[in-house]
Amino acid sequence: MTDAPSLSGFKPKDLPDLTGTRAVVTGANSGIGYHAAAALADHGAEVVLAVRNTEAGREAAKRMKGMVSVEELDLASQTSVHAFADRLDGSIDVLVNNAGVMTPPKYRETAEGHELQFGTNHLGHFALTGLLLPALLKSEAPRVVTVASIAHHRGDESVVEGNPKASYDPRRSYGNSKLANLLFAFELHRRAEEATSRLVSAACHPGVSATNLVGSPDGMGSNLVVRKTAPFFMPVIFQSSAAGANPTLWAATYGAPGSYVGPTWLMESGRLGEAKLSRHARDADLARRLWDVSEARTGVTFDLSL
């Protein structure tokens, strides 16, 4: 790896030569995941687009340069997560936990009965990372990048409850799922350090970006008006999804172990820097409690001694 460029001025052109590495990016058929995957592939990485909609994934892959493949992955199904992990052979150098669901107006559940946002955004990625850990630890410099959100500031101690139906609120539940992402990233970092593992766990957030997340029918886009108008008003108000991918690319290559970066200018756009954490995101005890809950709900455990 070459010396790191300036964080504040980082652009995709500053990525190092990634020839000989392999990256898995979830939700890579559109938005931030697409631009992150495309940039990694453009700099020599072999990239696996882990997507629920494989047709959209194949169309996305056609627009990318380099070695790109498509694999089906539905993070709302633990069966799908296990099947994906079973299909992947060889080592993995970078896992980008990017895909997500945002603020479905009504309570919904995953295939296993977890609240959709908690089950997809957190439990799906928790299980995926644990199942891919042996492949990651075959790499000389493995990285797990977890994409969080400024919405994590809405989360609180109730994150360990997994967004129960009785108290479901779309925004608060989304906030808890993104808080869970950060607690997972930091606890994985702590556990890697304790095990003297070479695994790097880094987190990032994209700021407020114009992506398909708002218009997705699984989230706010279940409202027809939002779904139809989002593609028009989002690019006018917010930074592009290409710019929103920059924090992910930094974390995937130069990000320090246990770091959290994101845009720092007005409306969470522009230059990158150290991102602000809520007090709950810094709570190591809450992170350990969530880890225990996550193991119990998924049946997946992590062996960092490999």
Side-chain angles (χ1 to χ4, degrees):
M1 185 74 69
T2 58
D3 292 337
S6 165
L7 171 60
S8 63
F10 174 77
K11 301 293 182 185
K13 65 179 177 59
D14 300 318
L15 286 170
D17 181 5
L18 300 172
T19 302
T21 66
R22 187 186 192 202
V24 174
V25 183
T26 68
N29 60 287
S30 65
I32 289 163
Y34 169 84
H35 289 288
L40 293 173
D42 191 43
H43 283 76
E46 175 191 346
V47 181
V48 179
L49 311 185
V51 298
R52 184 176 58 178
N53 184 335
T54 53
E55 182 177 350
R58 286 189 289 270
E59 288 301 312
K62 291 177 183 177
R63 301 192 298 273
M64 297 182 188
K65 300 176 183 178
M67 298 178 61
V68 181
S69 61
V70 179
E71 288 287 345
E72 182 177 4
L73 172 64
D74 181 358
L75 289 159
S77 165
Q78 289 287 313
T79 298
S80 177
V81 173
H82 278 258
F84 173 85
D86 288 342
R87 290 196 305 273
L88 256 61
D89 295 322
S91 64
I92 298 170
D93 299 281
V94 181
L95 169 61
V96 179
N97 291 325
N98 164 78
V101 178
M102 186 172 73
T103 60
K106 296 181 179 180
Y107 179 87
R108 294 177 59 190
E109 293 184 346
T110 67
E112 289 76 27
H114 308 298
E115 187 275 319
L116 185 64
Q117 296 175 99
F118 186 77
T120 301
N121 301 355
H122 170 60
L123 292 179
H125 283 126
F126 179 91
L128 179 67
T129 305
L131 293 169
L132 292 182
L133 193 57
L136 283 159
L137 295 180
K138 290 179 182 178
S139 168
E140 293 183 1
R143 281 180 175 264
V144 175
V145 175
T146 302
V147 181
S149 168
I150 57 175
H152 86 272
H153 288 277
R154 300 192 200 113
D156 56 31
E157 296 95 336
S158 67
V159 63
V160 295
E161 298 172 7
N163 297 339
K165 184 176 183 179
S167 59
Y168 181 72
D169 173 84
R171 289 167 59 85
R172 180 165 171 262
S173 297
Y174 179 66
N176 268 342
S177 76
K178 302 315 287 184
L179 172 60
N181 285 155
L182 279 176
L183 291 171
F184 164 67
F186 296 146
E187 182 64 12
L188 179 59
H189 165 62
R190 282 188 286 268
R191 290 175 182 241
E193 277 199 327
E194 290 171 3
T196 63
S197 172
R198 59 188 177 278
L199 180 77
V200 171
S201 174
C204 60
H205 78 80
V208 183
S209 305
T211 73
N212 291 345
L213 193 59
V214 172
S216 168
D218 290 323
M220 295 174 66
S222 60
N223 179 303
L224 183 61
V225 174
V226 172
R227 187 162 69 250
K228 294 295 186 182
T229 60
F232 301 99
F233 75 78
M234 289 290 289
V236 174
I237 301 173
F238 304 121
Q239 68 177 347
S240 68
S241 54
N246 288 343
T248 298
L249 293 171
W250 174 272
T253 51
Y254 298 113
S259 61
Y260 178 46
V261 301
T264 56
W265 281 13
L266 182 66
M267 294 183 69
E268 303 296 335
S269 63
R271 292 183 179 273
L272 303 188
E274 183 178 347
K276 296 179 181 179
L277 290 167
S278 72
R279 65 181 179 87
H280 299 297
R282 296 190 298 268
D283 189 334
D285 178 66
L286 184 61
R288 286 189 291 269
R289 289 165 55 199
L290 177 65
W291 191 281
D292 291 341
V293 167
S294 304
E295 285 188 338
R297 292 204 178 199
T298 63
V300 175
T301 58
F302 287 58
D303 184 359
L304 286 156
S305 65
L306 298 174

